[in-house]
Amino acid sequence: MLVPAHVIVLASEKGGSGKSTTALHIAVALLKAGQRVATVDLDGRQKTFTHYIENRRAWAERVQIQLELPTHYCVERAETSSIKANETTEVANFSAAVSAIERTHDFVVVDTPGNDTFLMRLAHSMADTLVTPINDSFLDFDVLATLDPINFAVTGESHYAEMVREARRQRRLFDGRSTEWIVVRNRLSVLGSRNKRLIGEGLTELAKRMGFRWLDGFAERAVYREFFPRGLTALDDLDKATLGRRPNNSHVTAREEVVTLLNALHLPLSENGKRHAAARAQWYSVIEEPLQVHEVIG
Ligand SMILES: Nc1ncnc2c1ncn2[C@@H]1O[C@H](COP(=O)(O)OP(=O)(O)OP(=O)(O)O)[C@@H](O)[C@H]1O
Ligand SMILES: [Mg+2]
């Protein structure tokens, strides 16, 4: 029996929270785990996710290495003078992309724009796993809830949180399935701080109220910014040929945090894919030199 793909949607109403960066890391992690992965960029104006994947393809060709690539679709933004006609065209293009991939892939990873569009709402109601990255500051916490200025207790839910609640309700009505909502803290300070603790406490309170769970995602690291022009992720080989520079400790730590995040997402990996990935890894370990530890510098 053909099982429809598991849909992972990266979304938040806040711009620059790490949606596209996290989307590519999740997609590449799944590819490396032997899964059949398709990706969809719903941010047809900015197209960061599409550019990230194009950069990956171009870098692999340029330095003559193998980099896993997903089947990618970009839903172009319709820009006629009629908002209604634009929505209809974009929804038709999105539906066509999903129909083309949902039965031939294990996962579809959807990146969305950081603002409230019709398409972005539709994506929310299709998500099996909704991942909302937030930068670790009160400014970004505002996308989920309002806080008391004295004691930082949660005083109310935001517009975006209400939208997610409604999208999840629609999803249950439509096919009886539920959306798991996971809030991922991004750009975490590597040092403990009062801010970090207070945001953790706020998220814990909100998680119970809104029915999400939260996870620590990626720390604030320059390597995440440097990956984009080459389309790389922290999971790619940490060698000079792949990175185009010598790896350092930050690459190694970034890789560990990506693996930890991926495990904590509890995604339903296909056993078949996992077996393929394990066999491939064993084969590579026979034919390749192991990572030269002395190349990892501080
Ligand atoms: N953990 C991190 N450490 C350092 N820089 C990061 C990290 N995560 C993301 N960035 C950088 O932050 C910026 C925003 O990230 P990204 O484009 O992934 O966010 P986004 O939510 O997709 O933004 P938009 O809303 O504009 O689509 C980029 O410059 C990215 O390289
Ligand atoms: Mg983006």
Side-chain angles (χ1 to χ4, degrees), residues 99-167:
S99 317
I101 51 191
E102 70 174 345
R103 304 227 162 237
T104 47
H105 291 78
D106 303 308
F107 288 91
V108 181
V109 181
V110 183
D111 188 27
T112 64
N115 49 18
D116 186 3
T117 63
F118 186 73
L119 211 49
M120 183 250 207
R121 284 174 180 243
L122 182 66
H124 277 76
S125 59
M126 291 171 60
D128 294 304
T129 303
L130 171 64
V131 178
T132 300
I134 63 163
N135 283 324
D136 217 37
S137 87
F138 280 122
L139 202 93
D140 275 47
F141 197 91
D142 195 53
V143 81
L144 299 170
T146 48
L147 296 178
D148 183 293
I150 306 291
N151 61 12
F152 301 105
V154 174
T155 53
E157 294 178 15
S158 69
H159 174 253
Y160 178 70
E162 281 168 18
M163 193 273 271
V164 173
R165 188 192 296 284
E166 177 55 21

Side-chain angles (χ1 to χ4, degrees), residues 220-235:
E220 167 71 38
R221 293 180 199 284
V223 291
Y224 288 112
R225 287 193 292 275
E226 292 164 8
F227 283 143
F228 176 77
R230 295 170 183 176
L232 296 173
T233 69
L235 298 169

Side-chain angles (χ1 to χ4, degrees), residues 244-260:
R245 56 167 285 190
R246 279 160 62 89
N248 62 33
N249 283 342
S250 198
H251 288 106
V252 178
T253 323
R255 170 178 289 196
E256 282 163 10
E257 67 198 10
V258 176
V259 171
T260 304

Side-chain angles (χ1 to χ4, degrees), residues 3-298:
V3 181
H6 185 94
V7 179
I8 305 168
V9 175
L10 279 289
S12 159
E13 239 176 57
K14 205 67 158 188
S17 58
K19 297 178 288 294
S20 304
T21 305
T22 313
L24 192 75
H25 276 81
I26 292 177
V28 169
L30 291 170
L31 285 164
K32 286 185 184 289
Q35 309 297 299
R36 298 168 304 165
V37 181
T39 44
V40 180
D41 190 353
L42 291 187
D43 194 352
R45 186 190 287 270
Q46 206 172 237
K47 297 190 181 148
T48 308
F49 198 26
T50 304
H51 295 156
Y52 208 156
I53 291 166
E54 283 168 357
N55 292 349
R56 187 170 175 82
R57 189 188 309 277
W59 182 249
E61 265 174 39
R62 183 174 175 148
V63 298
Q64 292 292 298
I65 51 164
Q66 294 271 348
L67 290 175
E68 304 82 353
L69 286 163
T71 311
H72 184 70
Y73 286 81
C74 178
V75 176
E76 295 290 335
R77 206 180 150 91
E79 297 198 86
T80 71
S81 55
S82 159
I83 295 175
K84 189 84 204 128
N86 292 343
E87 280 178 4
T88 309
T89 310
E90 289 172 2
V91 169
N93 290 345
F94 182 33
S95 303
V98 172
S99 317
I101 51 191
E102 70 174 345
R103 304 227 162 237
T104 47
H105 291 78
D106 303 308
F107 288 91
V108 181
V109 181
V110 183
D111 188 27
T112 64
N115 49 18
D116 186 3
T117 63
F118 186 73
L119 211 49
M120 183 250 207
R121 284 174 180 243
L122 182 66
H124 277 76
S125 59
M126 291 171 60
D128 294 304
T129 303
L130 171 64
V131 178
T132 300
I134 63 163
N135 283 324
D136 217 37
S137 87
F138 280 122
L139 202 93
D140 275 47
F141 197 91
D142 195 53
V143 81
L144 299 170
T146 48
L147 296 178
D148 183 293
I150 306 291
N151 61 12
F152 301 105
V154 174
T155 53
E157 294 178 15
S158 69
H159 174 253
Y160 178 70
E162 281 168 18
M163 193 273 271
V164 173
R165 188 192 296 284
E166 177 55 21
R168 293 168 99 188
R169 196 182 68 82
Q170 302 263 351
R171 173 68 197 261
R172 270 194 302 276
L173 286 178
F174 177 66
D175 62 6
R177 290 173 69 174
S178 56
T179 303
E180 193 190 10
W181 187 15
I182 305 171
V183 173
V184 174
R185 296 169 80 175
N186 185 30
R187 304 182 79 153
L188 282 157
S189 145
V190 281
L191 304 171
S193 67
R194 181 175 140 81
N195 172 72
K196 201 169 175 179
R197 179 176 57 76
L198 289 172
I199 291 190
E201 286 170 7
L203 283 174
T204 302
E205 186 184 336
L206 213 52
K208 282 189 239 132
R209 195 157 145 170
M210 293 182 189
F212 64 74
R213 62 188 173 99
W214 66 267
L215 300 171
D216 280 347
F218 309 155
E220 167 71 38
R221 293 180 199 284
V223 291
Y224 288 112
R225 287 193 292 275
E226 292 164 8
F227 283 143
F228 176 77
R230 295 170 183 176
L232 296 173
T233 69
L235 298 169
D236 294 308
D237 285 346
L238 298 181
D239 57 34
K240 201 170 170 207
T242 305
L243 295 175
R245 56 167 285 190
R246 279 160 62 89
N248 62 33
N249 283 342
S250 198
H251 288 106
V252 178
T253 323
R255 170 178 289 196
E256 282 163 10
E257 67 198 10
V258 176
V259 171
T260 304
L261 174 65
L262 262 296
N263 288 336
L265 289 177
H266 298 152
L267 297 169
L269 300 199
S270 105
E271 287 304 319
N272 215 1
K274 279 202 267 186
R275 273 196 297 276
H276 279 289
R280 203 171 51 225
Q282 200 178 13
W283 168 240
Y284 284 156
S285 71
V286 174
I287 60 169
E288 277 184 351
E289 293 277 304
L291 174 70
Q292 297 296 302
V293 176
H294 65 261
E295 274 208 321
V296 178
I297 54 169

